[in-house]
């Protein structure tokens, strides 16, 4: 119980640093700007708390191949015909071109010429490269040039990096603050823009390729004539903005990369919005030469494979500027100017996941999180004082410091705080005092064993430390798995939960010990009264192993029912797992929202299965639309149609989510994988720390709790989504918390009571720890219940599942884990050692007989 000045200084420094890092998050921006740089960092609010848009974009592999084949066709034609005078006829395949020579005797020269087009694409790691082209011949003498799979993959990787820069430029042009643009995997880009709630406009801004090209129109043949008579070589047909089609020369006369500026404008003669552009010096010269040579011909301006306009060149344009006219509004012309200034995306990006949150919903989420946190804090702090008096006050000071350190750590890391993240902090409030309860109960136990006050205090910390480490690390394993295999707000929950676990190790042990040591030196008490209230009296002798037979039968029945419900009834799967769209709306006029009327309004849209259900207050509704057959484009059209119809009936859109079938399948796989990985990791850890019987018992009881919780979703019809996976993984840690404490006591008693049978030792261990487990479970529920009632509708299923699972976790730890240990052949240390020694003697006798 002695504290050195160094340890005291560490506690003071950590506490002061945590406070200094936390305070900036609560200061207004003008005050924050005047602070030193290290203390300007604040907690970043997630999109669900401040509103904004979230897009997950994926590079379209087919578009890359198509564009590369087009350019390869032009390069091969130029290399053969223009540079070497070799006549050829080129046909295009999905990922290759086939060259037929007019003079087969020139094949060797043609192959040599074409092979000079070989290009090594830089690898993902920036060293070396892989060949992009493969050359072969057909049996009838044709030359085939194809793209290699490795080359396509490497080109995609490099295009993602280029796309991120273009996206960043476009978002910066709009003037939003603190956008998040991250690479995900090999072919995806995550874009999060706080405060920008119009996800449709954001998608148009950053997902549109905006590739601007200039082409000459065929001088004498229309698109309709070409379709009837055959498209001439070197030409192709594109749709135009006015609904028609144009026959264009496939040669790009000039590209948008030559632009230096683009600004929205207004044409005084036509009274229409236009976009004026300016070329760089080289582009201006080229543009002047093209217009000089083609006076009287039509010149098409093409944007993303659509002809915006195709005017006749009246005279040479040598000023290096021009304008694009079309059916623009003021906003669309401004957005097009942004796209042109920022540059074209090097590849087509598909939106595979889209989420947006309005600011009003974000404000409601903050209020819900703060309310739940405040209620949970008051309940837990009050209970600790009622249960432990002065020692409870010491634990409360450590708990408050723990919350400060979590917020300070989030600020220092620049981490994003989401609504599930707030739930993680609230859950930490209940879990963090677990270590204090364990220490205090150990102190009481040591005192009842006859030790002095000082020895009891010291032993309480030392003897409980190993158990605290084990119980916290099992929860940390689940949090780590959740972070790496989760996504979005769920990762925010994993971060706060992991930080809470780590900081509670410091506060619950070191800080509490610091206060108790000061108290002891000042007071020098003659008696020690730690606990003032308990649910279960000391010295119970309940025969849990006898009761466990009935409990196991009950669990088997419930397990069969849970599995049966999952198999026959299934789950109410959220769009995270099945794809589709979810739109949360609020009725802004007088009166409650009417789900039946909304269904009638949406039925004529022909969107397939549309679910309308109450969500939260009587004015809120959740509209779910099935995955549309046309893909993302049709999905977005469906969301826009629903939004437009509901706006006529005074419904305000507060949140939208759209998930493609590709992403939903990945999320389902990753969620299942996360649960399995966490179970295996915990099995290995418990096996390493205890014995294999304990590891299998821990995984069995945890799997039992997971099945019960998953069955809850099936039976009740609660929506099963990513938050549900987070609840199950959190439950894995909470369930093991009790199991590890009991296992630790069983292991200790196995060494201590070598003549007792295993059932007697298990009964004794559970009775010795039941006071602690009941108190800990109660504090966890004190934190979870406010989340259920005040945390908001969006995480209600998540918190209900954790509450239900934590109760079953205590039940399984007490009634299921013990019999499993007996079934797997756990023996007292005396018997185990005798058996091991007898086996060694038998082996030695066998070796002697063999000799």
């Amino acid at each position: 119980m002695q504290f050195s000045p160094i340890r005291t200084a560490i506690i003071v420094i950590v506490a002061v640093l945590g406070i200094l890092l936390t305070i900036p998050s609560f200061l207004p921006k003008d005050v924050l700007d005047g602070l030193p740089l290290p203390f300007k960092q604040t907690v970043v609010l997630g999109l669900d708390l401040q509103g904004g848009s979230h897009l997950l974009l994926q590079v379209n592999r087919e578009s890359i191949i198509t564009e590369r084949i087009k350019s390869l066709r032009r390069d091969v034609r130029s290399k053969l015909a223009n540079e070497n005078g070799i006549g050829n006829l080129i046909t295009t395949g999905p990922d290759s071109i086939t060259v037929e020579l007019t003079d087969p005797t020139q094949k060797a020269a043609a192959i040599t010429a074409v092979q000079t087009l070989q290009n090594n694409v830089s690898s993902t790691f920036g060293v070396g490269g892989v060949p992009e082209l493969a050359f072969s011949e057909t049996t009838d003498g044709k030359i085939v040039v194809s793209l290699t799979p490795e080359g396509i993959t490497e080109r995609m990787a490099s295009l993602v990096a280029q796309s991120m820069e273009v996206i960043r430029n476009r978002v910066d042009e709009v003037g939003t603050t603190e956008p998040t643009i991250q690479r995900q995997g090999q072919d995806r880009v995550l874009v999060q823009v706080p405060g920008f709630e119009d996800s449709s406009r954001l998608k148009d801004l950053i997902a549109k390729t905006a590739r601007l090209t200039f082409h000459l129109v065929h001088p004498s043949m229309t698109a309709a004539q070409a379709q009837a008579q055959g498209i001439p070589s070197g030409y192709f047909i594109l749709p135009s903005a006015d609904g028609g089609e144009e026959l264009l020369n496939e040669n790009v006369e000039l590209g948008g990369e030559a632009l230096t500026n683009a600004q929205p404008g207004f044409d005084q003669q036509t009274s229409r919005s236009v976009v004026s552009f300016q070329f760089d010096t080289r582009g201006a010269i080229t543009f002047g030469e093209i217009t000089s040579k083609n006076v009287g011909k039509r010149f098409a301006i093409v944007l993303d494979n659509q002809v915006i306009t195709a005017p006749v060149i009246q005279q040479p344009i040598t000023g290096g500027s021009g304008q694009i006219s079309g059916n623009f509004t003021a906003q669309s012309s401004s957005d097009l100017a942004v796209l042109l200034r920022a540059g074209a995306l090097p590849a087509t990006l598909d939106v595979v996941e889209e989420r947006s949150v309005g600011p009003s919903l974000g404000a409601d989420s903050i209020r819900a999180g703060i309310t739940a946190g405040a209620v949970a804090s008051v309940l837990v702090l009050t209970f600790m004082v009622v249960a432990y008096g002065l020692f409870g006050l010491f634990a409360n000071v450590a708990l408050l410091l723990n919350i400060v350190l979590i917020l300070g750590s989030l600020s220092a890391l620049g981490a994003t705080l989401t609504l599930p993240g707030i739930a993680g902090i609230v859950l930490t409030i209940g879990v963090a005092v677990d270590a204090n309860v364990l220490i205090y109960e150990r102190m009481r136990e040591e005192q009842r064993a006859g030790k002095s006050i000082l020895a009891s205090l010291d032993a309480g910390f030392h003897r409980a430390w190993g158990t605290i480490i084990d119980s916290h690390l099992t929860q940390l394993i689940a949090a780590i798995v959740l972070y790496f295999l989760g996504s979005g707000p769920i990762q925010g929950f994993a971060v706060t939960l992991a930080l809470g676990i780590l900081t509670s190790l410091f506060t619950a042990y070191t800080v509490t010990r610091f206060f108790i040591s000061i108290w002891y030196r000042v007071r020098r008490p003659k008696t020690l009264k730690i606990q003032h209230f308990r649910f279960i009296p000391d010295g119970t002798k309940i025969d849990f192993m006898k009761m466990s037979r009935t409990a196991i039968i009950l669990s088997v029945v419930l397990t069969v029912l849970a599995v049966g419900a999952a198999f026959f009834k299934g789950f109410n799967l959220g769009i995270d797992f099945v794809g589709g769209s979810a739109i949360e709306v609020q009725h802004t006029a007088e009166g409650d929202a009417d789900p039946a009327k909304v269904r009638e309004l949406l039925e004529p849209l022909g969107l397939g299965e549309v679910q309308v259900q109450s969500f939260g207050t009587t004015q809120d509704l959740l509209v779910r639309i099935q995955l549309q057959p046309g893909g993302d484009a049709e999905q977005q059209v469906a969301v826009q149609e629903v939004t437009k119809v509901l706006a006529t009936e005074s419904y305000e859109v507060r949140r939208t989510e759209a998930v493609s079938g590709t992403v939903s399948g990945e999320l389902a796989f990753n969620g299942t994988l996360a649960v399995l990985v966490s179970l295996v990791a915990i099995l290995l850890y418990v096996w390493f720390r205890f014995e294999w019987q304990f590891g299998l018992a821990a995984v069995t009881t945890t799997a039992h709790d997971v099945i019960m919780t998953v069955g809850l979703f099936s039976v009740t019809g609660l929506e099963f989504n990513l938050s549900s996976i987070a609840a199950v993984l959190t439950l894995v840690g909470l369930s093991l918390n009790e199991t590890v404490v009991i296992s630790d006591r069983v292991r200790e008693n196995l060494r201590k009571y070598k003549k007792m049978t295993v059932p007697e030792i298990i009964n004794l261990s559970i009775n010795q720890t039941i006071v602690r487990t009941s108190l800990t479970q109660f504090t966890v529920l004190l934190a979870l219940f406010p989340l259920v009632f005040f945390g908001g509708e969006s995480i209600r299923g998540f918190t209900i599942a954790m509450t239900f699972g934590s109760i079953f976790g205590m039940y399984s730890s007490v009634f299921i884990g013990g019999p499993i240990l007996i079934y797997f052949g756990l023996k007292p240390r005396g018997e185990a050692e005798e058996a091991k020694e007898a086996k060694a003697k038998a082996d030695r006798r066998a070796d002697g007989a063999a000799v």
Side-chain angles (χ1 to χ4, degrees):
M1 299 303 298
Q2 297 297 320
F3 259 73
S4 67
I6 295 178
R7 295 174 67 182
T8 303
I10 290 174
I11 292 176
V12 173
I13 291 172
V14 170
V16 171
L17 189 61
I19 294 172
L20 291 177
L21 290 173
T22 302
I23 289 176
S25 296
F26 299 91
L27 295 177
K29 191 175 186 304
D30 54 344
V31 177
L32 194 63
D33 292 338
L35 293 177
L37 184 61
F39 299 103
K40 286 186 177 181
Q41 190 78 11
T42 63
V43 175
V44 179
L45 295 181
L47 298 185
D48 55 349
L49 295 181
Q50 64 171 318
S53 296
H54 161 111
L55 295 176
L56 183 62
L57 309 167
Q58 184 173 33
V59 175
N60 188 305
R61 186 183 183 94
E62 295 303 319
S63 69
I64 292 176
I65 295 175
T66 301
E67 290 299 320
R68 187 68 185 97
I69 287 296
K70 285 182 180 178
S71 64
L72 182 63
R73 177 190 177 105
R74 289 193 297 267
D75 293 342
V76 169
R77 178 183 289 114
S78 176
K79 180 66 66 173
L80 293 179
N82 298 343
E83 296 183 19
N84 294 278
I86 301 175
N88 61 87
L89 178 63
I90 300 178
T91 56
T92 303
D95 59 356
S96 64
I97 60 172
T98 302
V99 183
E100 182 179 2
L101 302 178
T102 55
D103 183 2
T105 60
Q106 294 182 301
K107 184 169 67 172
I111 292 176
T112 302
V114 170
Q115 286 179 341
T116 61
L117 297 174
Q118 180 63 275
N119 176 41
N120 283 341
V121 185
S122 297
S123 70
T124 306
F125 300 100
V127 292
V130 296
E132 186 182 23
L133 304 177
F135 305 93
S136 60
E137 296 180 46
T138 62
T139 55
D140 55 355
K142 298 177 183 178
I143 303 171
V144 179
V145 184
S146 57
L147 302 177
T148 64
E150 298 81 9
I152 296 171
T153 300
E154 293 301 335
R155 181 172 287 276
M156 286 179 65
S158 63
L159 291 178
V160 167
Q162 297 174 38
S163 298
M164 289 176 62
E165 291 303 315
V166 174
I167 292 172
R168 191 177 304 279
N169 291 336
R170 293 181 180 181
V171 174
D172 289 344
E173 287 275 357
V174 178
T176 58
T177 57
E178 298 180 353
T180 299
I181 302 172
Q182 298 175 340
R183 182 175 191 150
Q184 284 202 342
Q186 192 174 42
D187 58 351
R188 288 180 180 171
V189 179
L190 172 67
V191 182
Q192 291 182 331
V193 185
F196 199 98
E197 59 184 283
D198 189 351
S199 62
S200 297
R201 184 185 173 207
L202 179 66
K203 182 184 62 177
D204 290 339
L205 280 172
I206 66 176
K208 185 174 288 186
T209 308
R211 186 169 185 264
L212 186 71
T213 55
F214 295 83
H215 300 258
L216 287 169
V217 181
H218 197 287
S220 58
M221 181 180 289
T222 65
Q225 291 172 337
Q227 289 174 335
Q229 303 173 17
I231 300 175
S233 177
Y235 283 84
F236 68 111
I237 296 175
L238 282 183
S240 59
D242 59 7
E245 292 180 325
E246 298 287 354
L247 180 62
L248 308 181
N249 192 310
E250 67 178 18
N251 290 327
V252 177
E253 304 296 336
L254 194 61
E257 64 276 2
L259 295 179
T260 58
N261 192 20
Q263 296 292 336
F266 192 74
D267 192 322
Q268 297 292 338
Q269 296 180 351
T270 61
S271 300
R272 298 167 71 179
S273 294
V274 297
V275 177
S276 301
F277 58 85
Q278 184 75 37
F279 287 114
D280 58 20
T281 303
R282 190 171 181 178
I285 295 173
T286 304
F287 192 61
E289 291 176 349
I290 295 170
T291 55
S292 298
K293 294 178 182 178
N294 296 280
V295 173
K297 297 180 181 178
R298 297 175 65 209
F299 197 41
I301 302 176
V302 177
L303 181 67
D304 288 343
N305 293 321
Q306 184 183 47
V307 179
I308 301 299
T309 181
V312 176
I313 301 174
Q314 302 292 347
Q315 59 186 6
I317 304 174
T318 57
S321 62
Q323 71 178 27
I324 304 172
S325 59
N327 295 322
F328 296 126
T329 63
Q331 180 173 300
S332 63
S333 63
S334 176
D335 289 348
L336 177 57
V338 167
L339 296 176
L340 297 180
R341 287 198 303 270
L345 284 172
T348 302
L349 296 179
D350 297 328
V351 180
V352 293
E353 184 179 358
E354 176 182 353
R355 305 178 191 271
S356 66
V357 178
S360 62
L361 181 59
D364 289 347
S365 298
I366 292 177
R367 283 194 295 270
I370 292 176
T371 301
V375 173
S377 299
V378 170
L379 291 177
V380 173
L381 294 174
T382 302
F383 175 75
M384 288 301 292
V385 172
V386 171
Y388 290 103
L390 182 62
F391 281 73
L393 185 61
F394 294 153
N396 287 344
V397 174
L399 177 59
L400 292 174
L401 179 60
N402 185 29
I403 297 173
V404 170
L405 291 181
I406 294 174
L407 295 176
S409 300
L410 291 173
S411 296
L413 295 172
T416 300
L417 182 64
T418 61
L419 184 56
I422 293 178
I425 296 177
V426 176
L427 181 61
T428 301
I429 294 172
V431 174
V433 296
D434 170 73
N436 291 117
V437 172
L438 188 61
I439 291 169
Y440 294 163
E441 291 304 313
R442 192 73 199 209
M443 288 178 181
R444 294 178 62 249
E445 191 174 336
E446 297 295 331
Q447 188 181 23
R448 291 199 308 270
K451 289 187 177 181
S452 66
I453 293 177
L454 183 60
S456 298
L457 294 175
D458 192 62
F461 284 100
H462 282 94
R463 300 287 294 275
W465 179 242
T467 307
I468 292 172
I469 288 291
D470 289 331
S471 62
H472 279 63
L473 283 183
T474 51
Q475 295 179 58
L476 186 61
I477 289 172
I480 292 173
V481 172
L482 189 59
Y483 177 80
F484 284 104
L485 294 180
S487 63
I490 302 304
Q491 286 184 317
F493 171 78
V495 169
T496 55
L497 184 63
L499 286 175
I501 292 168
L502 295 175
T503 54
S504 66
L505 283 174
F506 173 76
T507 57
Y509 187 84
T510 306
V511 176
T512 305
R513 186 177 178 183
F514 174 71
F515 284 117
I516 292 178
S517 68
I518 293 177
W519 168 79
Y520 181 80
R521 288 199 299 271
V522 172
R523 297 290 301 273
R524 295 289 178 177
K526 301 298 182 182
T527 60
L528 183 63
K529 186 177 182 181
I530 299 175
Q531 192 181 78
H532 297 260
F533 169 81
R534 66 182 66 87
F535 294 105
I536 300 174
D538 293 325
T540 57
K541 295 183 180 179
I542 304 172
D543 191 349
F544 289 100
M545 291 301 95
K546 184 177 180 180
M547 298 168 60
S548 65
R549 298 172 186 173
T550 304
I552 289 177
I553 294 174
L554 175 63
S555 290
V556 170
V557 172
L558 292 177
T559 300
V560 171
L561 291 176
V563 173
F567 183 78
F568 292 104
K569 183 182 178 183
F571 297 94
N572 177 22
L573 295 176
I575 64 169
D576 294 328
F577 295 147
V578 297
S581 300
I583 308 169
E584 184 181 340
V585 296
Q586 187 175 69
H587 192 229
T588 56
E590 292 185 5
D592 296 337
D594 188 348
K597 185 176 181 180
V598 170
R599 290 190 195 97
E600 292 178 5
L601 290 171
L602 300 181
E603 187 174 353
L605 297 180
L607 302 176
E609 183 182 356
V610 177
Q611 299 178 5
V612 182
Q613 62 190 64
S614 298
F615 190 78
T617 69
T618 57
Q619 291 184 308
D620 296 330
L621 293 176
L622 183 67
V623 181
R624 292 178 56 181
I625 309 170
Q626 72 175 41
L627 193 65
Q628 299 299 301
D632 175 68
E634 291 300 320
Q635 197 72 24
Q636 302 310 315
V637 170
V639 172
Q640 292 170 6
E641 290 179 352
V642 170
T643 303
K644 187 183 300 182
V645 169
L646 294 181
T648 62
E649 298 294 327
S650 301
Y651 283 95
E652 175 192 350
V653 176
R654 286 158 60 86
R655 172 174 63 94
T656 63
E657 297 183 19
V659 179
S660 70
T662 301
V663 171
S664 63
E666 293 175 2
L667 294 177
F669 174 79
N670 289 339
T672 305
L673 181 62
V675 175
L676 296 177
V677 169
S678 63
L679 287 176
V680 172
I682 290 169
L683 167 65
L684 295 176
Y685 176 77
V686 177
W687 192 335
F688 172 76
R689 284 288 292 141
F690 299 93
E691 293 180 20
W692 65 271
Q693 292 99 333
F694 289 99
L696 291 178
V699 170
T700 304
T701 55
T702 304
H704 165 272
D705 302 336
V706 169
I707 292 173
M708 292 296 104
T709 306
V710 172
L712 172 72
F713 282 99
S714 178
V715 172
T716 62
L718 285 171
E719 183 177 296
F720 194 78
N721 50 31
L722 273 182
S723 296
S724 308
I725 295 294
V728 170
L729 282 175
T730 307
L731 164 66
V732 169
L734 289 176
S735 172
L736 275 169
N737 195 7
E738 311 296 335
T739 303
V740 166
V741 170
I742 296 174
S743 298
D744 188 69
R745 185 56 61 94
V746 170
R747 182 178 61 175
E748 180 181 332
N749 287 333
L750 283 172
R751 299 191 185 100
K752 190 174 181 180
Y753 304 104
K754 296 184 178 181
K755 299 302 181 181
M756 292 178 65
T757 63
V758 171
E760 291 174 336
I761 288 176
I762 294 175
N763 270 329
L764 175 64
S765 301
I766 296 175
N767 279 289
Q768 288 175 337
T769 57
I770 193 66
V771 174
R772 175 260 171 201
T773 52
S774 63
L775 290 172
T776 300
Q777 188 62 44
F778 187 70
T779 57
V780 170
L781 292 178
L782 285 179
L784 286 174
F785 278 128
L787 283 173
V788 173
F789 292 109
F790 305 110
E793 191 67 29
S794 61
I795 62 170
R796 182 150 293 138
F798 167 73
T799 52
I800 288 175
M802 282 201 297
T803 304
F804 175 85
S806 64
I807 295 173
F808 255 89
M810 182 175 179
Y811 158 79
S812 64
S813 298
V814 173
F815 293 104
I816 307 299
I820 294 175
L821 287 173
I822 298 173
Y823 177 79
F824 284 135
L826 183 67
K827 297 180 179 180
R829 281 295 175 270
E831 294 181 21
E833 291 169 359
E834 289 174 6
K836 186 177 180 180
E837 185 176 339
K839 183 177 183 304
K841 289 181 180 179
D843 290 341
R844 285 196 296 271
R845 284 197 299 269
D847 292 340
V851 172

